[in-house]
Amino acid sequence: GDVLERRSAEDSLAPDAAEYAEVLITGVLEHLPAIDALMQKAAPAWPCEQMARIDRNIIRIAIWEALFRQERVP
């Protein structure tokens, strides 16, 4: 929450962009164990801990949007 608030202020994010970022972050964190389990199942030779942090988080967001978001992404 603190990081999002600071980034929103420093980057002058529009309120709707900051709100969407919060939805993404909250959604991923709520489903993190399930998301990581799916990632591990899909790529057993490449554990999450070995992925670059940014790559791992982009994949997490994509999985959350595809599988858990109530409002579908086009």
Side-chain angles (χ1 to χ4, degrees):
D2 294 339
V3 173
L4 176 59
E5 187 176 315
R6 186 177 70 243
R7 297 302 312 165
S8 295
E10 289 175 6
D11 295 337
S12 301
L13 287 181
D16 58 335
E19 182 180 324
Y20 188 63
E22 185 172 357
V23 167
L24 289 175
I25 293 166
T26 302
V28 169
L29 289 175
E30 286 175 358
H31 294 91
L32 191 59
I35 291 169
D36 283 357
L38 288 168
M39 290 169 58
Q40 190 62 49
K41 184 177 179 182
W46 197 263
C48 289
E49 301 81 36
Q50 288 183 352
M51 292 181 186
R53 183 178 294 166
I54 189 73
D55 296 341
R56 179 177 59 230
N57 288 330
I58 289 170
I59 294 168
R60 284 172 170 162
I61 290 169
I63 292 171
W64 178 78
E65 284 185 316
L67 300 180
F68 297 103
R69 183 163 167 81
Q70 297 299 318
E71 187 179 305
R72 291 294 174 199
V73 177

